[in-house]
Amino acid sequence: RQGNMEIFKEKIIRNDILRVLRIKPFLLMMASEFFSQFAFNMMNFVLIFITFEATHSSAAVSGIILSFTIPAVLFSIFSGVFVDRWNKKNVIFYTHLARGLLILPFLIPNLPIAYIYVLTFLIAVATQFFIPAESAIIPNLIPKNLIISGNSIFAFGIYSTMFLGYIFSGPMIILFGKNMTVILLSLLFFISLFFVAAMKLKFGNSS
């Protein structure tokens, strides 16, 4: 039995997923990803709710969806090229900061629909630079032999926060109301900043 237990412990120690999760910079990046992506995916639903509440128009809601979608089409083509030349840690930091600040004007009562569209568009633009920066920084956080496992954990984080964000968005608005939910979303982006600031690059460089 003791021999079997030693073999089991050895397998756990050698498990690449667990080895990656024991690397502090990568763990900080995943914490940042969790809070920021959870906020972003929840925000999608919240902005649709805000738009419909302000206009009672399905066409206006279609406009907010376009405001999210158009930047993905326009900027995804070349955002990665620019991010590859920039300091990726700084890109992640400032895109969190930008989104945390850009959502705060939604606290203004009776915000004109044009402003809602512009703010949503700018948030989506920031996100288009955030996504390639976060995925590209992984090789700077973990050894080369663990990159595949790191990418797997990263992808799991992306899809799980998408799932959780959409699940909790409705209950959050019902329980806390629009304004408190907007404040919470902004706070989640700012919390992500602290994890990014604490993240030290261990391998290669960030530019």
Side-chain angles (χ1 to χ4, degrees), residues 10-42:
E10 186 69 20
K11 286 183 177 179
I12 291 176
I13 292 171
R14 292 185 177 181
N15 184 282
D16 285 349
I17 298 293
L18 295 179
R19 287 173 65 192
V20 171
L21 291 174
R22 286 197 293 266
I23 298 173
K24 186 178 178 181
F26 182 83
L27 198 60
L28 289 169
M29 190 273 286
M30 287 305 301
S32 170
E33 180 198 22
F34 175 82
F35 286 108
S36 64
Q37 289 298 99
F38 179 69
F40 177 73
N41 288 296
M42 196 189 307

PDB file of all heavy atoms in Angstrom, residues 10-42:
ATOM      1  N   GLU A  10       3.901  10.460  -6.742  1.00  0.00           N
ATOM      2  CA  GLU A  10       4.835  10.792  -7.811  1.00  0.00           C
ATOM      3  C   GLU A  10       4.100  11.226  -9.071  1.00  0.00           C
ATOM      4  O   GLU A  10       4.511  12.173  -9.765  1.00  0.00           O
ATOM      5  CB  GLU A  10       5.712   9.576  -8.111  1.00  0.00           C
ATOM      6  CG  GLU A  10       6.831   9.839  -9.108  1.00  0.00           C
ATOM      7  CD  GLU A  10       7.901  10.759  -8.550  1.00  0.00           C
ATOM      8  OE1 GLU A  10       8.012  10.906  -7.316  1.00  0.00           O
ATOM      9  OE2 GLU A  10       8.616  11.364  -9.374  1.00  0.00           O
ATOM     10  N   LYS A  11       2.980  10.565  -9.379  1.00  0.00           N
ATOM     11  CA  LYS A  11       2.185  10.927 -10.555  1.00  0.00           C
ATOM     12  C   LYS A  11       1.581  12.324 -10.406  1.00  0.00           C
ATOM     13  O   LYS A  11       1.503  13.090 -11.359  1.00  0.00           O
ATOM     14  CB  LYS A  11       1.070   9.900 -10.780  1.00  0.00           C
ATOM     15  CG  LYS A  11       1.570   8.581 -11.345  1.00  0.00           C
ATOM     16  CD  LYS A  11       0.409   7.628 -11.622  1.00  0.00           C
ATOM     17  CE  LYS A  11       0.913   6.334 -12.257  1.00  0.00           C
ATOM     18  NZ  LYS A  11      -0.209   5.387 -12.520  1.00  0.00           N
ATOM     19  N   ILE A  12       1.147  12.637  -9.169  1.00  0.00           N
ATOM     20  CA  ILE A  12       0.587  13.963  -8.911  1.00  0.00           C
ATOM     21  C   ILE A  12       1.658  15.038  -9.096  1.00  0.00           C
ATOM     22  O   ILE A  12       1.448  16.071  -9.735  1.00  0.00           O
ATOM     23  CB  ILE A  12      -0.016  14.046  -7.492  1.00  0.00           C
ATOM     24  CG1 ILE A  12      -1.275  13.167  -7.406  1.00  0.00           C
ATOM     25  CG2 ILE A  12      -0.341  15.480  -7.121  1.00  0.00           C
ATOM     26  CD1 ILE A  12      -1.884  13.109  -6.035  1.00  0.00           C
ATOM     27  N   ILE A  13       2.842  14.759  -8.542  1.00  0.00           N
ATOM     28  CA  ILE A  13       3.938  15.729  -8.631  1.00  0.00           C
ATOM     29  C   ILE A  13       4.315  15.982 -10.086  1.00  0.00           C
ATOM     30  O   ILE A  13       4.612  17.101 -10.495  1.00  0.00           O
ATOM     31  CB  ILE A  13       5.161  15.228  -7.827  1.00  0.00           C
ATOM     32  CG1 ILE A  13       4.835  15.241  -6.321  1.00  0.00           C
ATOM     33  CG2 ILE A  13       6.393  16.092  -8.115  1.00  0.00           C
ATOM     34  CD1 ILE A  13       5.891  14.574  -5.469  1.00  0.00           C
ATOM     35  N   ARG A  14       4.277  14.919 -10.900  1.00  0.00           N
ATOM     36  CA  ARG A  14       4.690  15.030 -12.302  1.00  0.00           C
ATOM     37  C   ARG A  14       3.567  15.477 -13.231  1.00  0.00           C
ATOM     38  O   ARG A  14       3.800  15.674 -14.416  1.00  0.00           O
ATOM     39  CB  ARG A  14       5.233  13.675 -12.785  1.00  0.00           C
ATOM     40  CG  ARG A  14       6.544  13.280 -12.118  1.00  0.00           C
ATOM     41  CD  ARG A  14       7.087  11.999 -12.709  1.00  0.00           C
ATOM     42  NE  ARG A  14       8.375  11.655 -12.138  1.00  0.00           N
ATOM     43  CZ  ARG A  14       9.089  10.580 -12.496  1.00  0.00           C
ATOM     44  NH1 ARG A  14       8.630   9.767 -13.427  1.00  0.00           N
ATOM     45  NH2 ARG A  14      10.249  10.323 -11.932  1.00  0.00           N
ATOM     46  N   ASN A  15       2.357  15.623 -12.698  1.00  0.00           N
ATOM     47  CA  ASN A  15       1.229  16.052 -13.527  1.00  0.00           C
ATOM     48  C   ASN A  15       1.477  17.473 -14.029  1.00  0.00           C
ATOM     49  O   ASN A  15       1.666  18.405 -13.240  1.00  0.00           O
ATOM     50  CB  ASN A  15      -0.067  15.989 -12.707  1.00  0.00           C
ATOM     51  CG  ASN A  15      -1.281  16.338 -13.535  1.00  0.00           C
ATOM     52  OD1 ASN A  15      -1.545  17.504 -13.799  1.00  0.00           O
ATOM     53  ND2 ASN A  15      -2.018  15.329 -13.950  1.00  0.00           N
ATOM     54  N   ASP A  16       1.471  17.635 -15.349  1.00  0.00           N
ATOM     55  CA  ASP A  16       1.826  18.932 -15.932  1.00  0.00           C
ATOM     56  C   ASP A  16       0.837  20.026 -15.565  1.00  0.00           C
ATOM     57  O   ASP A  16       1.229  21.183 -15.367  1.00  0.00           O
ATOM     58  CB  ASP A  16       1.913  18.803 -17.460  1.00  0.00           C
ATOM     59  CG  ASP A  16       3.181  18.097 -17.900  1.00  0.00           C
ATOM     60  OD1 ASP A  16       4.067  17.896 -17.044  1.00  0.00           O
ATOM     61  OD2 ASP A  16       3.283  17.742 -19.090  1.00  0.00           O
ATOM     62  N   ILE A  17      -0.440  19.671 -15.475  1.00  0.00           N
ATOM     63  CA  ILE A  17      -1.451  20.675 -15.116  1.00  0.00           C
ATOM     64  C   ILE A  17      -1.179  21.243 -13.729  1.00  0.00           C
ATOM     65  O   ILE A  17      -1.177  22.463 -13.520  1.00  0.00           O
ATOM     66  CB  ILE A  17      -2.874  20.069 -15.167  1.00  0.00           C
ATOM     67  CG1 ILE A  17      -3.230  19.599 -16.587  1.00  0.00           C
ATOM     68  CG2 ILE A  17      -3.901  21.076 -14.655  1.00  0.00           C
ATOM     69  CD1 ILE A  17      -3.378  20.709 -17.598  1.00  0.00           C
ATOM     70  N   LEU A  18      -0.905  20.354 -12.785  1.00  0.00           N
ATOM     71  CA  LEU A  18      -0.634  20.799 -11.415  1.00  0.00           C
ATOM     72  C   LEU A  18       0.697  21.551 -11.339  1.00  0.00           C
ATOM     73  O   LEU A  18       0.837  22.492 -10.560  1.00  0.00           O
ATOM     74  CB  LEU A  18      -0.625  19.602 -10.470  1.00  0.00           C
ATOM     75  CG  LEU A  18      -1.969  18.880 -10.313  1.00  0.00           C
ATOM     76  CD1 LEU A  18      -1.827  17.694  -9.370  1.00  0.00           C
ATOM     77  CD2 LEU A  18      -3.037  19.834  -9.786  1.00  0.00           C
ATOM     78  N   ARG A  19       1.658  21.119 -12.140  1.00  0.00           N
ATOM     79  CA  ARG A  19       2.951  21.823 -12.168  1.00  0.00           C
ATOM     80  C   ARG A  19       2.768  23.260 -12.660  1.00  0.00           C
ATOM     81  O   ARG A  19       3.378  24.197 -12.123  1.00  0.00           O
ATOM     82  CB  ARG A  19       3.935  21.080 -13.070  1.00  0.00           C
ATOM     83  CG  ARG A  19       4.466  19.789 -12.477  1.00  0.00           C
ATOM     84  CD  ARG A  19       5.286  19.033 -13.506  1.00  0.00           C
ATOM     85  NE  ARG A  19       6.494  19.772 -13.870  1.00  0.00           N
ATOM     86  CZ  ARG A  19       7.259  19.457 -14.911  1.00  0.00           C
ATOM     87  NH1 ARG A  19       6.903  18.460 -15.720  1.00  0.00           N
ATOM     88  NH2 ARG A  19       8.345  20.150 -15.171  1.00  0.00           N
ATOM     89  N   VAL A  20       1.941  23.444 -13.683  1.00  0.00           N
ATOM     90  CA  VAL A  20       1.677  24.788 -14.190  1.00  0.00           C
ATOM     91  C   VAL A  20       0.989  25.643 -13.131  1.00  0.00           C
ATOM     92  O   VAL A  20       1.336  26.815 -12.941  1.00  0.00           O
ATOM     93  CB  VAL A  20       0.812  24.723 -15.475  1.00  0.00           C
ATOM     94  CG1 VAL A  20       0.342  26.113 -15.880  1.00  0.00           C
ATOM     95  CG2 VAL A  20       1.595  24.098 -16.618  1.00  0.00           C
ATOM     96  N   LEU A  21       0.010  25.061 -12.446  1.00  0.00           N
ATOM     97  CA  LEU A  21      -0.748  25.813 -11.450  1.00  0.00           C
ATOM     98  C   LEU A  21       0.084  26.183 -10.222  1.00  0.00           C
ATOM     99  O   LEU A  21      -0.312  27.049  -9.445  1.00  0.00           O
ATOM    100  CB  LEU A  21      -1.980  25.006 -11.017  1.00  0.00           C
ATOM    101  CG  LEU A  21      -3.068  24.849 -12.085  1.00  0.00           C
ATOM    102  CD1 LEU A  21      -4.173  23.922 -11.594  1.00  0.00           C
ATOM    103  CD2 LEU A  21      -3.648  26.202 -12.481  1.00  0.00           C
ATOM    104  N   ARG A  22       1.236  25.540 -10.054  1.00  0.00           N
ATOM    105  CA  ARG A  22       2.118  25.891  -8.940  1.00  0.00           C
ATOM    106  C   ARG A  22       3.069  27.045  -9.301  1.00  0.00           C
ATOM    107  O   ARG A  22       3.806  27.522  -8.442  1.00  0.00           O
ATOM    108  CB  ARG A  22       2.929  24.665  -8.496  1.00  0.00           C
ATOM    109  CG  ARG A  22       2.115  23.632  -7.721  1.00  0.00           C
ATOM    110  CD  ARG A  22       3.029  22.683  -6.963  1.00  0.00           C
ATOM    111  NE  ARG A  22       3.798  21.839  -7.870  1.00  0.00           N
ATOM    112  CZ  ARG A  22       3.425  20.619  -8.263  1.00  0.00           C
ATOM    113  NH1 ARG A  22       2.285  20.106  -7.828  1.00  0.00           N
ATOM    114  NH2 ARG A  22       4.182  19.910  -9.075  1.00  0.00           N
ATOM    115  N   ILE A  23       3.024  27.477 -10.554  1.00  0.00           N
ATOM    116  CA  ILE A  23       3.878  28.592 -10.976  1.00  0.00           C
ATOM    117  C   ILE A  23       3.139  29.904 -10.690  1.00  0.00           C
ATOM    118  O   ILE A  23       2.104  30.188 -11.294  1.00  0.00           O
ATOM    119  CB  ILE A  23       4.224  28.478 -12.472  1.00  0.00           C
ATOM    120  CG1 ILE A  23       5.008  27.190 -12.730  1.00  0.00           C
ATOM    121  CG2 ILE A  23       5.033  29.691 -12.930  1.00  0.00           C
ATOM    122  CD1 ILE A  23       5.251  26.891 -14.195  1.00  0.00           C
ATOM    123  N   LYS A  24       3.665  30.680  -9.770  1.00  0.00           N
ATOM    124  CA  LYS A  24       2.954  31.863  -9.267  1.00  0.00           C
ATOM    125  C   LYS A  24       2.580  32.875 -10.346  1.00  0.00           C
ATOM    126  O   LYS A  24       1.439  33.343 -10.380  1.00  0.00           O
ATOM    127  CB  LYS A  24       3.771  32.539  -8.164  1.00  0.00           C
ATOM    128  CG  LYS A  24       3.029  33.698  -7.501  1.00  0.00           C
ATOM    129  CD  LYS A  24       3.851  34.310  -6.380  1.00  0.00           C
ATOM    130  CE  LYS A  24       3.122  35.500  -5.771  1.00  0.00           C
ATOM    131  NZ  LYS A  24       3.923  36.132  -4.690  1.00  0.00           N
ATOM    132  N   PRO A  25       3.483  33.271 -11.256  1.00  0.00           N
ATOM    133  CA  PRO A  25       3.091  34.256 -12.284  1.00  0.00           C
ATOM    134  C   PRO A  25       1.923  33.773 -13.148  1.00  0.00           C
ATOM    135  O   PRO A  25       1.034  34.563 -13.489  1.00  0.00           O
ATOM    136  CB  PRO A  25       4.370  34.427 -13.117  1.00  0.00           C
ATOM    137  CG  PRO A  25       5.477  34.059 -12.200  1.00  0.00           C
ATOM    138  CD  PRO A  25       4.925  32.956 -11.344  1.00  0.00           C
ATOM    139  N   PHE A  26       1.938  32.485 -13.484  1.00  0.00           N
ATOM    140  CA  PHE A  26       0.839  31.952 -14.290  1.00  0.00           C
ATOM    141  C   PHE A  26      -0.456  31.947 -13.479  1.00  0.00           C
ATOM    142  O   PHE A  26      -1.530  32.273 -14.006  1.00  0.00           O
ATOM    143  CB  PHE A  26       1.161  30.533 -14.760  1.00  0.00           C
ATOM    144  CG  PHE A  26       0.095  29.931 -15.628  1.00  0.00           C
ATOM    145  CD1 PHE A  26       0.043  30.214 -16.987  1.00  0.00           C
ATOM    146  CD2 PHE A  26      -0.870  29.099 -15.093  1.00  0.00           C
ATOM    147  CE1 PHE A  26      -0.956  29.673 -17.801  1.00  0.00           C
ATOM    148  CE2 PHE A  26      -1.870  28.545 -15.886  1.00  0.00           C
ATOM    149  CZ  PHE A  26      -1.908  28.835 -17.240  1.00  0.00           C
ATOM    150  N   LEU A  27      -0.368  31.599 -12.216  1.00  0.00           N
ATOM    151  CA  LEU A  27      -1.548  31.592 -11.344  1.00  0.00           C
ATOM    152  C   LEU A  27      -2.128  32.997 -11.214  1.00  0.00           C
ATOM    153  O   LEU A  27      -3.355  33.179 -11.230  1.00  0.00           O
ATOM    154  CB  LEU A  27      -1.177  31.032  -9.975  1.00  0.00           C
ATOM    155  CG  LEU A  27      -2.326  30.553  -9.077  1.00  0.00           C
ATOM    156  CD1 LEU A  27      -3.118  29.437  -9.755  1.00  0.00           C
ATOM    157  CD2 LEU A  27      -1.781  30.068  -7.743  1.00  0.00           C
ATOM    158  N   LEU A  28      -1.270  34.004 -11.117  1.00  0.00           N
ATOM    159  CA  LEU A  28      -1.732  35.392 -11.053  1.00  0.00           C
ATOM    160  C   LEU A  28      -2.418  35.798 -12.356  1.00  0.00           C
ATOM    161  O   LEU A  28      -3.431  36.490 -12.353  1.00  0.00           O
ATOM    162  CB  LEU A  28      -0.553  36.324 -10.766  1.00  0.00           C
ATOM    163  CG  LEU A  28       0.042  36.259  -9.360  1.00  0.00           C
ATOM    164  CD1 LEU A  28       1.353  37.025  -9.286  1.00  0.00           C
ATOM    165  CD2 LEU A  28      -0.949  36.796  -8.325  1.00  0.00           C
ATOM    166  N   MET A  29      -1.854  35.347 -13.485  1.00  0.00           N
ATOM    167  CA  MET A  29      -2.462  35.651 -14.778  1.00  0.00           C
ATOM    168  C   MET A  29      -3.843  35.013 -14.891  1.00  0.00           C
ATOM    169  O   MET A  29      -4.789  35.620 -15.386  1.00  0.00           O
ATOM    170  CB  MET A  29      -1.555  35.153 -15.911  1.00  0.00           C
ATOM    171  CG  MET A  29      -1.970  35.636 -17.298  1.00  0.00           C
ATOM    172  SD  MET A  29      -3.189  34.556 -18.100  1.00  0.00           S
ATOM    173  CE  MET A  29      -2.182  33.156 -18.553  1.00  0.00           C
ATOM    174  N   MET A  30      -3.979  33.774 -14.391  1.00  0.00           N
ATOM    175  CA  MET A  30      -5.271  33.092 -14.454  1.00  0.00           C
ATOM    176  C   MET A  30      -6.293  33.767 -13.536  1.00  0.00           C
ATOM    177  O   MET A  30      -7.477  33.841 -13.868  1.00  0.00           O
ATOM    178  CB  MET A  30      -5.110  31.619 -14.068  1.00  0.00           C
ATOM    179  CG  MET A  30      -4.416  30.770 -15.122  1.00  0.00           C
ATOM    180  SD  MET A  30      -5.217  30.845 -16.749  1.00  0.00           S
ATOM    181  CE  MET A  30      -6.860  30.247 -16.358  1.00  0.00           C
ATOM    182  N   ALA A  31      -5.833  34.271 -12.382  1.00  0.00           N
ATOM    183  CA  ALA A  31      -6.738  35.008 -11.491  1.00  0.00           C
ATOM    184  C   ALA A  31      -7.217  36.283 -12.179  1.00  0.00           C
ATOM    185  O   ALA A  31      -8.402  36.634 -12.120  1.00  0.00           O
ATOM    186  CB  ALA A  31      -6.033  35.338 -10.178  1.00  0.00           C
ATOM    187  N   SER A  32      -6.287  36.962 -12.847  1.00  0.00           N
ATOM    188  CA  SER A  32      -6.651  38.155 -13.608  1.00  0.00           C
ATOM    189  C   SER A  32      -7.637  37.817 -14.707  1.00  0.00           C
ATOM    190  O   SER A  32      -8.617  38.534 -14.926  1.00  0.00           O
ATOM    191  CB  SER A  32      -5.390  38.786 -14.209  1.00  0.00           C
ATOM    192  OG  SER A  32      -5.717  39.798 -15.131  1.00  0.00           O
ATOM    193  N   GLU A  33      -7.370  36.718 -15.408  1.00  0.00           N
ATOM    194  CA  GLU A  33      -8.278  36.297 -16.479  1.00  0.00           C
ATOM    195  C   GLU A  33      -9.670  35.996 -15.938  1.00  0.00           C
ATOM    196  O   GLU A  33     -10.675  36.391 -16.525  1.00  0.00           O
ATOM    197  CB  GLU A  33      -7.736  35.050 -17.180  1.00  0.00           C
ATOM    198  CG  GLU A  33      -8.636  34.575 -18.311  1.00  0.00           C
ATOM    199  CD  GLU A  33      -8.371  33.136 -18.732  1.00  0.00           C
ATOM    200  OE1 GLU A  33      -7.815  32.365 -17.928  1.00  0.00           O
ATOM    201  OE2 GLU A  33      -8.746  32.784 -19.847  1.00  0.00           O
ATOM    202  N   PHE A  34      -9.724  35.295 -14.790  1.00  0.00           N
ATOM    203  CA  PHE A  34     -11.023  34.918 -14.229  1.00  0.00           C
ATOM    204  C   PHE A  34     -11.865  36.154 -13.937  1.00  0.00           C
ATOM    205  O   PHE A  34     -13.019  36.246 -14.367  1.00  0.00           O
ATOM    206  CB  PHE A  34     -10.842  34.099 -12.953  1.00  0.00           C
ATOM    207  CG  PHE A  34     -12.145  33.774 -12.272  1.00  0.00           C
ATOM    208  CD1 PHE A  34     -12.912  32.709 -12.708  1.00  0.00           C
ATOM    209  CD2 PHE A  34     -12.621  34.551 -11.217  1.00  0.00           C
ATOM    210  CE1 PHE A  34     -14.128  32.415 -12.107  1.00  0.00           C
ATOM    211  CE2 PHE A  34     -13.828  34.261 -10.611  1.00  0.00           C
ATOM    212  CZ  PHE A  34     -14.585  33.194 -11.050  1.00  0.00           C
ATOM    213  N   PHE A  35     -11.303  37.108 -13.206  1.00  0.00           N
ATOM    214  CA  PHE A  35     -12.078  38.286 -12.824  1.00  0.00           C
ATOM    215  C   PHE A  35     -12.441  39.153 -14.032  1.00  0.00           C
ATOM    216  O   PHE A  35     -13.574  39.625 -14.155  1.00  0.00           O
ATOM    217  CB  PHE A  35     -11.310  39.120 -11.795  1.00  0.00           C
ATOM    218  CG  PHE A  35     -11.288  38.516 -10.425  1.00  0.00           C
ATOM    219  CD1 PHE A  35     -10.131  37.950  -9.909  1.00  0.00           C
ATOM    220  CD2 PHE A  35     -12.440  38.492  -9.645  1.00  0.00           C
ATOM    221  CE1 PHE A  35     -10.118  37.380  -8.646  1.00  0.00           C
ATOM    222  CE2 PHE A  35     -12.436  37.927  -8.383  1.00  0.00           C
ATOM    223  CZ  PHE A  35     -11.271  37.363  -7.876  1.00  0.00           C
ATOM    224  N   SER A  36     -11.486  39.353 -14.944  1.00  0.00           N
ATOM    225  CA  SER A  36     -11.754  40.243 -16.081  1.00  0.00           C
ATOM    226  C   SER A  36     -12.714  39.611 -17.086  1.00  0.00           C
ATOM    227  O   SER A  36     -13.627  40.273 -17.579  1.00  0.00           O
ATOM    228  CB  SER A  36     -10.452  40.624 -16.771  1.00  0.00           C
ATOM    229  OG  SER A  36      -9.811  39.495 -17.330  1.00  0.00           O
ATOM    230  N   GLN A  37     -12.535  38.329 -17.393  1.00  0.00           N
ATOM    231  CA  GLN A  37     -13.407  37.671 -18.358  1.00  0.00           C
ATOM    232  C   GLN A  37     -14.799  37.424 -17.783  1.00  0.00           C
ATOM    233  O   GLN A  37     -15.803  37.493 -18.495  1.00  0.00           O
ATOM    234  CB  GLN A  37     -12.789  36.358 -18.825  1.00  0.00           C
ATOM    235  CG  GLN A  37     -11.582  36.541 -19.735  1.00  0.00           C
ATOM    236  CD  GLN A  37     -11.968  37.261 -21.022  1.00  0.00           C
ATOM    237  OE1 GLN A  37     -11.778  38.472 -21.165  1.00  0.00           O
ATOM    238  NE2 GLN A  37     -12.508  36.525 -21.964  1.00  0.00           N
ATOM    239  N   PHE A  38     -14.861  37.140 -16.495  1.00  0.00           N
ATOM    240  CA  PHE A  38     -16.163  37.012 -15.827  1.00  0.00           C
ATOM    241  C   PHE A  38     -16.914  38.334 -15.925  1.00  0.00           C
ATOM    242  O   PHE A  38     -18.104  38.369 -16.261  1.00  0.00           O
ATOM    243  CB  PHE A  38     -15.953  36.606 -14.375  1.00  0.00           C
ATOM    244  CG  PHE A  38     -17.219  36.457 -13.587  1.00  0.00           C
ATOM    245  CD1 PHE A  38     -18.105  35.421 -13.854  1.00  0.00           C
ATOM    246  CD2 PHE A  38     -17.542  37.348 -12.573  1.00  0.00           C
ATOM    247  CE1 PHE A  38     -19.283  35.279 -13.129  1.00  0.00           C
ATOM    248  CE2 PHE A  38     -18.703  37.219 -11.841  1.00  0.00           C
ATOM    249  CZ  PHE A  38     -19.585  36.183 -12.120  1.00  0.00           C
ATOM    250  N   ALA A  39     -16.201  39.436 -15.666  1.00  0.00           N
ATOM    251  CA  ALA A  39     -16.820  40.764 -15.754  1.00  0.00           C
ATOM    252  C   ALA A  39     -17.237  41.078 -17.183  1.00  0.00           C
ATOM    253  O   ALA A  39     -18.342  41.583 -17.423  1.00  0.00           O
ATOM    254  CB  ALA A  39     -15.855  41.826 -15.241  1.00  0.00           C
ATOM    255  N   PHE A  40     -16.366  40.774 -18.143  1.00  0.00           N
ATOM    256  CA  PHE A  40     -16.657  41.110 -19.537  1.00  0.00           C
ATOM    257  C   PHE A  40     -17.869  40.348 -20.056  1.00  0.00           C
ATOM    258  O   PHE A  40     -18.747  40.926 -20.712  1.00  0.00           O
ATOM    259  CB  PHE A  40     -15.438  40.811 -20.412  1.00  0.00           C
ATOM    260  CG  PHE A  40     -15.680  41.055 -21.873  1.00  0.00           C
ATOM    261  CD1 PHE A  40     -15.769  42.348 -22.362  1.00  0.00           C
ATOM    262  CD2 PHE A  40     -15.836  40.001 -22.747  1.00  0.00           C
ATOM    263  CE1 PHE A  40     -16.010  42.586 -23.716  1.00  0.00           C
ATOM    264  CE2 PHE A  40     -16.077  40.217 -24.099  1.00  0.00           C
ATOM    265  CZ  PHE A  40     -16.159  41.514 -24.578  1.00  0.00           C
ATOM    266  N   ASN A  41     -17.937  39.062 -19.769  1.00  0.00           N
ATOM    267  CA  ASN A  41     -19.062  38.265 -20.262  1.00  0.00           C
ATOM    268  C   ASN A  41     -20.367  38.624 -19.560  1.00  0.00           C
ATOM    269  O   ASN A  41     -21.430  38.604 -20.181  1.00  0.00           O
ATOM    270  CB  ASN A  41     -18.748  36.775 -20.107  1.00  0.00           C
ATOM    271  CG  ASN A  41     -17.709  36.306 -21.102  1.00  0.00           C
ATOM    272  OD1 ASN A  41     -17.921  36.320 -22.303  1.00  0.00           O
ATOM    273  ND2 ASN A  41     -16.552  35.904 -20.605  1.00  0.00           N
ATOM    274  N   MET A  42     -20.294  38.971 -18.284  1.00  0.00           N
ATOM    275  CA  MET A  42     -21.483  39.443 -17.587  1.00  0.00           C
ATOM    276  C   MET A  42     -21.917  40.795 -18.148  1.00  0.00           C
ATOM    277  O   MET A  42     -23.109  41.072 -18.291  1.00  0.00           O
ATOM    278  CB  MET A  42     -21.198  39.568 -16.081  1.00  0.00           C
ATOM    279  CG  MET A  42     -22.479  39.684 -15.244  1.00  0.00           C
ATOM    280  SD  MET A  42     -22.148  40.084 -13.504  1.00  0.00           S
ATOM    281  CE  MET A  42     -20.993  38.807 -13.072  1.00  0.00           C
TER     282      MET A  42
END
